[in-house]
Amino acid sequence: MQMESQMEAVKVEGFGPDSEVEDLGRCVDEISTSVSRLEQRVNEVEQFYLTTGNMELTITKSASAFKEKVKEKQLTGLEKQQQEASQREAAALKRMQELMRQFATILRQITQHKWAHPFMHPVDVEGLGLHDYYEIVQKPMDFGTIKSKMEAKDGTGYKNVREIYSDVRLVFKNAMKYNDERHDVHIMAKTLLEKFEEKWLQLLPKVAEEEKRQVEEEAKAELDVKLAQEAVHANMAKELSNELCEVDLQLEKLRQIVIQKCRKMSTEEKKKLGTALTRLSPEDLGKALEIVAENNPGFQPTAQEVDLDIDAQSELTLWRLKVFVQDKLKLAGKCSEAVVCNNINNNENTIKSNSKRRREISDALTKNAIKRNRKLSPNS
């Protein structure tokens, strides 16, 4: 945080007593910790809205306190939602039971038909020698199995009328599939299926109406839960917004304290600061001008020509500039040292290379001179 760098300036030469520096340092640490916690809470609420498809950015309460408070409020809302859901489920179950009762009447009429006896119990595959039955019929079904499942109390029974309807049709479809269309069982199954479908069409509008109602109620229940969650998070966001305002006030108070505690910069120090600013890189100079603009709304840091009056700046701005310039020039100095060392090494290598080359040329000239002298010698 910028406030931390300001405190470093204070510790170096802005203040006198160490106790005052320590007190302000503790204030900065506390505010920094608070801001970190607030950022976590903001991220939590932002994640909630992202996962629910709402891109609106809001904020909420503390990481731990937030979770507990949200949980507490959600429990209250969820209890109400659960009560309403239980009431809806009980009403839906009652309506479905009534539909099943009406369907049972239809089924009883079909099973009491004189041709229904072949379908009342599972097919005696072994007794009748139907060795290929399970190859043709993948899912055997009979009215005895359907009745047992309708009366089941252990949770394995039918959940709705369409499940029973599907199994009744399966009884007749299996018989028609396995037996030739001229076979008595095939004819009996086809006849009973037609009668069953006629009666089913009379009940179907009520079934469709109930199914539509259940879909609408489920959608409404989901929407109610979502709205309840959003309401909780919106309240948390409002509370956190107040906390953020309090942090801003604390920062402003601390800023005023820092301004009051900063000693005035001497004329010589201001002169050195102005000179140091001219040594900054264009990018760093732009950042320095932004520091000036923070406490000087009329100052334009991005203008093509900037007239910076050092004497007109506040003490806090001057100290912030000094710390910023010192850091940047120190970093630039290290980089310059590295460049100088690199250049020196390159120069040394160049000198060595040139020296070696000169020695090679000198040796070559010497050898040529010796050869010429031998040719010119009278003894040769």
Side-chain angles (χ1 to χ4, degrees):
M1 294 177 61
Q2 290 184 345
M3 183 62 71
E4 293 177 353
S5 63
Q6 294 171 16
M7 290 307 303
E8 291 298 327
V10 170
K11 291 179 182 178
V12 173
E13 46 188 331
F15 284 161
D18 292 339
S19 60
E20 293 180 351
V21 176
E22 293 176 357
D23 291 341
L24 287 174
R26 281 194 293 271
C27 290
V28 172
D29 291 338
E30 291 175 0
I31 293 175
S32 298
T33 302
S34 298
V35 170
S36 297
R37 285 199 300 264
L38 291 175
E39 287 178 352
Q40 293 178 0
R41 302 166 204 167
V42 169
N43 291 335
E44 289 178 6
V45 177
E46 182 180 10
Q47 185 62 33
F48 166 78
Y49 280 94
L50 288 174
T51 53
T52 55
N54 189 341
M55 299 302 294
E56 178 184 357
L57 177 61
T58 52
I59 45 183
T60 182
K61 216 167 164 55
S62 78
S64 56
F66 160 74
K67 290 178 181 177
E68 292 299 325
K69 200 163 186 178
V70 168
K71 185 177 180 181
E72 178 182 347
K73 291 188 176 182
Q74 280 184 339
L75 282 176
T76 304
L78 286 175
E79 288 177 357
K80 183 179 179 180
Q81 296 292 337
Q82 288 173 351
Q83 290 178 354
E84 293 177 354
S86 297
Q87 293 174 356
R88 285 195 299 268
E89 289 176 1
L93 179 60
K94 187 175 181 179
R95 293 193 302 270
M96 185 57 68
Q97 288 175 343
E98 174 59 23
L99 288 175
M100 288 186 174
R101 186 190 65 78
Q102 295 180 37
F103 186 90
T105 301
I106 296 174
L107 185 61
R108 185 165 52 252
Q109 293 173 354
I110 296 298
T111 55
Q112 290 178 352
H113 194 277
K114 61 180 180 179
W115 286 354
H117 63 89
F119 314 108
M120 297 302 297
H121 304 285
V123 176
D124 186 5
V125 176
E126 294 184 2
L128 297 174
L130 308 177
H131 306 297
D132 59 346
Y133 185 80
Y134 294 116
E135 296 178 4
I136 299 175
V137 177
Q138 281 73 37
K139 184 181 178 182
M141 185 57 60
D142 63 276
F143 289 129
T145 300
I146 292 173
K147 183 180 179 182
S148 299
K149 197 171 180 180
M150 289 178 66
E151 297 173 352
K153 304 296 183 182
D154 57 357
T156 61
Y158 294 108
K159 301 297 186 298
N160 56 66
V161 176
R162 280 196 184 273
E163 292 181 352
I164 314 175
Y165 165 75
S166 179
D167 277 355
V168 172
R169 292 186 79 253
L170 185 61
V171 173
F172 299 129
K173 288 292 184 179
N174 285 345
M176 295 167 62
K177 184 177 181 180
Y178 185 78
N179 297 280
D180 183 82
E181 61 183 10
R182 291 172 296 182
H183 195 283
D184 289 344
V185 173
H186 182 105
I187 296 172
M188 295 163 69
K190 184 177 181 180
T191 302
L192 290 178
L193 177 59
E194 291 173 354
K195 291 182 177 294
F196 170 70
E197 293 288 5
E198 289 177 2
K199 296 182 180 296
W200 166 253
L201 287 176
Q202 298 174 6
L203 182 62
L204 184 58
K206 295 182 180 179
V207 175
E209 181 182 355
E210 176 59 26
E211 290 172 342
K212 180 181 178 181
R213 183 172 181 175
Q214 287 184 4
V215 170
E216 291 175 349
E217 288 184 350
E218 289 175 1
K220 183 179 182 302
E222 291 179 1
L223 180 61
D224 289 343
V225 171
K226 181 179 178 182
L227 292 176
Q229 291 176 341
E230 289 183 356
V232 171
H233 283 79
N235 290 334
M236 295 300 103
K238 183 178 179 181
E239 293 176 8
L240 183 54
S241 179
N242 294 334
E243 286 193 22
L244 288 173
C245 290
E246 292 177 4
V247 171
D248 288 339
L249 291 175
Q250 292 175 5
L251 287 172
E252 181 60 27
K253 289 180 181 178
L254 186 58
R255 177 177 173 276
Q256 295 299 327
I257 293 174
V258 172
I259 293 174
Q260 294 173 4
K261 296 293 182 179
C262 282
R263 71 169 176 81
K264 290 188 176 182
M265 189 176 288
S266 66
T267 303
E268 183 64 24
E269 287 175 320
K270 292 179 182 179
K271 183 178 179 181
K272 290 181 179 179
L273 176 59
T275 303
L277 284 169
T278 62
R279 296 166 54 194
L280 292 175
S281 67
E283 181 181 357
D284 290 336
L285 180 59
K287 294 179 180 178
L289 295 178
E290 289 177 1
I291 293 176
V292 176
E294 288 183 15
N295 295 319
N296 190 350
F299 184 75
Q300 299 295 329
T302 58
Q304 291 185 351
E305 293 185 4
V306 177
D307 184 14
L308 178 60
D309 185 359
I310 292 292
D311 293 328
Q313 306 307 314
S314 67
E315 295 301 324
L316 179 61
T317 298
L318 292 174
W319 284 109
R320 289 182 61 193
L321 283 174
K322 183 172 182 178
V323 174
F324 177 80
V325 171
Q326 286 178 340
D327 290 342
K328 294 303 179 181
L329 292 181
K330 184 177 180 181
L331 180 62
K334 291 182 180 179
C335 294
S336 298
E337 290 177 4
V339 171
V340 170
C341 291
N342 187 46
N343 290 338
I344 291 174
N345 291 333
N346 290 338
N347 292 336
E348 289 178 351
N349 292 334
T350 302
I351 293 171
K352 290 179 181 178
S353 177
N354 292 339
S355 177
K356 181 179 179 182
R357 180 60 179 164
R358 285 195 294 270
R359 285 197 303 272
E360 291 175 350
I361 294 172
S362 177
D363 292 342
L365 293 174
T366 301
K367 290 179 181 180
N368 290 335
I370 292 172
K371 288 180 180 180
R372 286 197 299 271
N373 289 336
R374 285 179 179 176
K375 289 181 180 179
L376 295 174
S377 175
N379 298 328
S380 60

